Amino acid sequence: MKKVLLIIFIATLSSCNQTKIAYVDVEALMKDYKATVALEDEYKSEQEKIAKKLDSMGAPFKTKLANYYQNAKKMSAKKRSETEQALQQEQQMLQMMQQQASQELQNSTQKKSEEITKRIDSFVANYAKEKGYNLIIGTSGKGTVMYGDDNINITDEILEILNKDFSK
């Protein structure tokens, strides 16, 4: 009985040796990949440009606001109300411009980041095929698989079971 178990164990180990598996530390890769470093530098540069532009647009508003606070006691209630309303509208416009610029920068950066991720995934898949890997696992605390040989992909089977279970 012990010999049979030993033979089964050795057979299992030898079949496992046929599968070539590797992993990639995705966080280290993204940190040191020149494309991501360039993207971060570009993001910071654009962020600084936007901040300077918004500051230059906000300077006249700050002056108007300071003038209002200096002269508010001398104004009539109607004039004070009109000035406050105009200042509020200008402030809202500046905030809206800031949000829009921030959103545009974020969208642009996200798009470029996704392009980098696709490039990395494509490279890893080609590398795995060239080197004979069946599976490359990306580690970063998320455990994502960056490449997997179609022969060991059980997604369709799992999906079928989950869909049947959901239908019930």
Side-chain angles (χ1 to χ4, degrees):
M1 180 69 175
K2 288 183 182 181
K3 289 181 183 180
V4 173
L5 288 175
L6 183 60
I7 292 171
I8 292 173
F9 180 70
I10 291 172
T12 304
L13 277 179
S14 66
S15 69
C16 288
N17 290 338
Q18 294 173 355
T19 301
K20 194 171 179 183
I21 299 173
Y23 75 92
V24 174
D25 183 341
V26 178
E27 289 178 8
L29 179 69
M30 296 304 269
K31 178 183 169 221
D32 295 333
Y33 185 37
K34 290 181 181 179
T36 56
V37 172
L39 180 61
E40 286 177 24
D41 291 344
E42 181 183 336
Y43 178 78
K44 288 176 185 174
S45 175
E46 286 298 314
Q47 206 173 25
E48 288 172 5
K49 286 179 188 176
I50 290 169
K52 285 179 183 177
K53 182 180 176 182
L54 291 172
D55 283 348
S56 68
M57 293 172 73
F61 172 75
K62 289 179 183 177
T63 303
K64 289 178 189 176
L65 191 60
N67 287 339
Y68 167 75
Y69 283 121
Q70 280 182 339
N71 300 321
K73 292 180 182 177
K74 300 174 191 173
M75 294 179 182
S76 67
K78 182 179 179 185
K79 178 69 174 169
R80 196 171 33 239
S81 177
E82 289 171 354
T83 306
E84 287 173 359
Q85 188 175 7
L87 288 171
Q88 265 186 336
Q89 287 176 350
E90 191 172 344
Q91 182 181 22
Q92 287 173 350
M93 184 186 73
L94 287 170
Q95 287 174 340
M96 198 166 62
M97 290 171 65
Q98 181 182 13
Q99 288 174 348
Q100 182 179 0
S102 202
Q103 185 67 42
E104 287 173 5
L105 179 60
Q106 186 178 1
N107 289 344
S108 172
T109 304
Q110 183 178 354
K111 182 179 177 183
K112 291 174 184 175
S113 180
E114 288 171 359
E115 290 171 6
I116 290 171
T117 301
K118 286 179 184 177
R119 190 177 323 144
I120 290 171
D121 289 348
S122 176
F123 174 81
V124 169
N126 289 333
Y127 178 86
K129 290 174 186 175
E130 288 175 13
K131 300 294 182 180
Y133 286 100
N134 301 100
L135 181 67
I136 294 184
I137 300 171
T139 63
S140 64
K142 299 174 187 161
T144 58
V145 176
M146 295 178 71
Y147 169 79
D149 186 54
D150 287 342
N151 294 328
I152 60 172
N153 184 349
I154 60 168
T155 305
D156 291 339
E157 295 171 30
I158 300 296
L159 183 60
E160 183 179 320
I161 294 167
L162 289 172
N163 284 337
K164 284 181 183 177
D165 186 53
F166 180 77
S167 296
K168 292 179 182 179

